[in-house]
Amino acid sequence: MTSDIAAILAIDGIATGAVYALVAIGTVLIFTVTRVIFIPFGDIAAFTALTLAALDAKRFPGTGALVVVLACLATLIEIISLIRNGELRLLPRALFFYLAVPLAVVGIAWLTMRIDPPLAVRLVLALMLITPIAPLLDRIVFRPIADGTVLLLLTVSVALHFALVGLGLLFFGPEGVRTEPLTSLSTELAGVLISGQTMLIVIAALVFSGLLYLFFDFTLVGKSLRATAVNRTGSRLMGIRPARAGTIAYLLGSLMAGVSGILIAPVNTVFYDSGFLIGLKAFVGAIVGGMTSYPGAAIGAVGVGILESFASFQSSALKDVIVFSLLIPVLIWRSLASLHSEEEIEE
């Protein structure tokens, strides 16, 4: 390995790690607010890439049908919950947020596709279609068991991933896709050619990380999410609704997964089941950050990307084994360095 090859591998690893960083930050965001290790995060990123590819091919994506199905299920579950709790006065609001808004998003996307929109509009449409998925999944799957143990939530999250893989095959088909680069610009740095797509990935990761920092530190909603993450019971006593905070966290997480999918689609062939490896590698980065620190998760994810890049040069067949082996020393270190406490289970 020469210095030029090492520089190229490092740049490629930083770009890949920047995508993982967005997924890792979103994973930490959802976990700290809801205690859910959201395994399907990578699936949502993969679905975004498939959605954009369908829009580029002038086909309405299967994401629209998926959102309609999830919206109907979420609405039905919400109506049953309101009837049981005697809160039918909240029915119009539930119909608006769980049914009308998702259907309106799908309708707007369908109508816009009739006029052959430019790339910028297609990017917005892909994000619009993908953003409702995580909040709807939260209402259908996680909110009914919100008070369960972390182990139960993790088990359900894994099961949900496999369900989404099946739905992905149904709605998108088995074909892999790779979209056109978002930019054809390139530049040379210290004798190494850097593509515009690589620069765009890194800039997007930095911008979204900065926006997330500003959101949590300077907005009332962001501060309420932080309060929920620190103490759910205390935040409830202060008038903050954990369910609503969880919905906002899932919305932000779904948006970040969507951006990740858009950025990774031009550089990797994405299939309906590609999201698992994306989410798992980002999860390794989140583990490095202790599942509580956004900067730690971002740094860990970039480290995973660099390690994967160099590992693929040494042995492409074993690169995933090398990356996931990183979990072992990190988990041992975290286990020895952290204080352990028994999880309280309410009877």
Side-chain angles (χ1 to χ4, degrees), residues 95-108:
L95 292 175
F96 176 75
F97 283 107
Y98 290 111
L99 188 62
V101 172
L103 294 184
V105 168
V106 174
I108 291 171

Side-chain angles (χ1 to χ4, degrees), residues 10 15 59 82 183 193 210 233 292 298:
R59 292 184 287 105
L82 293 177
T183 176
L193 184 66
T233 302
T292 56

Side-chain angles (χ1 to χ4, degrees), residues 295-307:
I299 294 172
V302 172
V304 168
I306 295 174
L307 177 63

Side-chain angles (χ1 to χ4, degrees), residues 45 48-49 52 122-124 126-127 179-180 182 197 257-266:
T48 308
L52 181 59
R122 294 198 300 270
L123 294 176
V124 174
L127 291 176
T179 61
E180 294 296 324
L182 301 179
Q197 184 68 32
V259 173
S260 302
I262 288 175
L263 293 175
I264 205 171

Side-chain angles (χ1 to χ4, degrees), residues 63-133:
T63 317
L66 177 61
V67 170
V68 171
V69 171
L70 293 178
C72 293
L73 287 175
T75 303
L76 178 61
I77 291 174
E78 182 69 12
I79 291 174
I80 294 174
S81 175
L82 293 177
I83 292 174
R84 286 179 176 176
N85 297 329
E87 297 178 335
L88 286 178
R89 68 183 188 282
L90 300 177
L91 182 59
R93 180 179 180 179
L95 292 175
F96 176 75
F97 283 107
Y98 290 111
L99 188 62
V101 172
L103 294 184
V105 168
V106 174
I108 291 171
W110 185 82
L111 291 174
T112 307
M113 283 303 298
R114 304 296 96 190
I115 60 174
D116 191 17
L119 176 60
V121 176
R122 294 198 300 270
L123 294 176
V124 174
L125 290 179
L127 291 176
M128 285 176 55
L129 286 171
I130 214 71
T131 300
I133 291 181

Side-chain angles (χ1 to χ4, degrees), residues 142-158:
F142 294 110
R143 197 175 300 176
I145 56 172
D147 293 328
T149 64
V150 174
L151 180 59
L152 173 63
L153 296 173
L154 175 60
T155 303
V156 173
S157 185
V158 173

